[in-house]
């Protein structure tokens, strides 16, 4: 019989970036449900305070840090503090991310750089901070939160698509460079998920809402909860021979030409 304990995260320490709410919060909750100790960060004290209360309400004793993932010193200090006070980080979920929806020729280079900095460079920074400990421990899991835009483009999201496409390849490269140390690096590519980041797209009267439903075989927006099981799988020993893979959790969008009007 298959040993289902391979899905357990008991005794593991998981750092989920940007997990004050949204997808990161759901993933952290899932990893906690599988037994992991949760560490998370965000930039806003107000978000942090609310998140700690929300985690506590679910019986999760999360450790929170105010830390901007684009600041290498802040990230290194956060990781070193966790490693000193709690132990080696076994699981890193690079979730923190932003989007700026601006037509490319109207977008400033500064805006473009900010999106790439948070959505791509930060994953490099955080992964570089945790990998030495994972190597020393002999095992580690890195999960990068990619996107439909790791594969597809659309108007107004040039910086985001460039960053998420790069994040797909960073995932494959970390898998290639550190697989020999028993570190698995994979991605989760959510479809269109109902979170604050997509709230503008779901506003009453926005035609995008109907468009997405016509492109999704599941005929619904995803919920952060839809990502919980895939995250536990990729964070657990059950996926120890899965490496460099992007697991799309999109209700079938990438498989579907779209409903005939
Ligand atoms: P969200 O609701 O906007 O949450 C983003 C989180 O990231 C917040 O906790 C935010 O907290 C944090 N954050 C942003 N910039 C940060 C920084 N520089 N340093 C630290 N934390 C930062 O987004 P979401 O929808 O949950 O998306 C989470 C991830 O999934 C993102 O990478 C996004 O690109 C990706 N994704 C989302 C969807 C979707 O449909 N929602 C689909 C595919 C992929 P603070 O503002 O307090 O820092
Ligand atoms: C957009 C959306 C998407 C989703 C997600 C899809 O403006 O098209 O924000 O980018 O956030 O990345 O996978």
């Amino acid at each position: 019989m298959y040993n289902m304990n391979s899905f357990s995260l008991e005794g593991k320490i998981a750092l989920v970036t940007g997990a004050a709410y949204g997808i990161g919060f759901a993933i952290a909750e899932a990893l906690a449900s599988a037994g992991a100790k949760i560490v998370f960060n965000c930039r806003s004290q107000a978000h942090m305070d609310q998140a700690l209360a929300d985690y506590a309400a679910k019986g999760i004793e999360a450790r929170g840090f105010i830390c901007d993932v684009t600041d290498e010193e802040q990230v290194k200090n956060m990781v070193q503090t966790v490693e000193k006070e709690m132990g080696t980080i076994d699981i890193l979920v690079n979730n923190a991310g932003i989007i700026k929806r601006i037509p490319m020729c109207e977008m400033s280079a500064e805006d473009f750089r900010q999106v790439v900095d948070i959505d791509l460079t930060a994953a490099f920074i955080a992964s570089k901070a945790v990998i030495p400990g994972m190597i020393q421990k002999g095992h580690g899991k890195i999960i990068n939160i990619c996107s439909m835009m790791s594969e597809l483009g659309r108007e107004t999201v040039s910086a985001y698509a460039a960053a998420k496409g790069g994040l797909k390849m960073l995932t494959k490269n970390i898998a290639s460079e550190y697989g020999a140390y028993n570190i698995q690096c994979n991605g989760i590519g959510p479809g269109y998920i109902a979170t604050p980041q997509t709230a503008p797209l779901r506003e009453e009267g926005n035609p995008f809402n109907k468009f997405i439903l016509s492109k999704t075989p599941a005929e619904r927006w995803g919920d952060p909860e839809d990502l919980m099981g895939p995250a536990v799988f990729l964070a657990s020993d059950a996926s120890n021979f899965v490496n460099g893979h992007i697991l799309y959790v999109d209700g079938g969008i990438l498989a579907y030409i779209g409903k005939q009007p």
Side-chain angles (χ1 to χ4, degrees):
M1 292 286 278
Y2 184 70
N3 180 0
M4 291 302 289
N5 288 331
S6 64
F7 287 89
S8 170
L9 302 180
E10 286 295 340
K12 306 284 189 183
I13 295 172
L15 168 60
V16 185
T17 68
Y21 49 84
I23 287 173
F25 184 92
I27 288 178
E29 180 185 349
L31 303 184
S33 302
K37 290 181 182 172
I38 299 304
V39 180
F40 75 101
N41 74 293
C42 61
R43 294 164 299 182
S44 147
Q45 188 60 54
H47 290 165
M48 171 67 68
D49 295 342
Q50 183 58 55
L52 289 170
D54 293 341
Y55 282 116
K58 291 179 177 287
I60 299 169
E61 195 181 327
R63 174 83 184 269
F65 289 81
I66 297 295
C67 169
D68 184 329
V69 291
T70 65
D71 185 314
E72 190 162 18
E73 278 314 300
Q74 287 184 32
V75 171
K76 282 165 67 176
N77 290 339
M78 173 174 63
V79 169
Q80 287 166 4
T81 300
V82 173
E83 290 179 338
K84 182 180 174 188
E85 297 180 7
M86 298 174 69
T88 301
I89 293 169
D90 301 284
I91 302 156
L92 169 65
V93 181
N94 286 306
N95 166 80
I98 65 166
I99 191 167
K100 290 179 183 276
R101 300 182 182 93
I102 304 168
M104 194 184 86
C105 290
E106 298 169 26
M107 187 175 216
S108 69
E110 182 186 351
D111 274 338
F112 189 96
R113 289 194 187 98
Q114 186 188 13
V115 173
V116 172
D117 214 18
I118 295 171
D119 293 8
L120 175 56
T121 311
F124 159 78
I125 289 171
S127 301
K128 198 172 81 163
V130 303
I131 283 173
M134 292 178 171
I135 290 174
Q136 192 168 13
K137 189 163 187 179
H139 191 195
K141 295 281 189 178
I142 297 174
I143 301 169
N144 293 324
I145 307 302
C146 296
S147 161
M148 295 288 95
M149 275 58 211
S150 297
E151 301 293 344
L152 302 170
R154 83 173 185 89
E155 298 79 4
T156 75
V157 296
S158 60
Y160 185 82
K164 293 296 187 179
L167 187 59
K168 174 177 74 171
M169 288 315 301
L170 177 64
T171 301
K172 292 173 184 260
N173 213 78
I174 292 172
S176 304
E177 194 163 357
Y178 294 99
Y181 299 97
N182 196 24
I183 293 171
Q184 291 86 47
C185 182
N186 293 288
I188 288 176
Y192 280 81
I193 311 295
T195 72
Q197 191 240 52
T198 55
L201 304 177
R202 290 178 283 110
E203 281 172 358
E204 192 62 37
N206 187 334
F208 196 88
N209 186 39
K210 189 176 177 185
F211 169 69
I212 283 302
L213 296 178
S214 76
K215 298 287 282 183
T216 310
E219 294 188 351
R220 67 173 175 88
W221 280 77
D223 295 308
E225 289 70 22
D226 288 315
L227 301 165
M228 294 172 88
V232 171
F233 167 63
L234 289 179
S236 73
D237 289 340
S239 61
N240 281 352
F241 205 54
V242 179
N243 204 14
H245 182 71
I246 312 299
L247 177 56
Y248 287 100
V249 185
D250 65 353
I253 294 177
L254 286 178
Y256 188 37
I257 193 170
K259 189 177 293 298
Q260 183 179 348

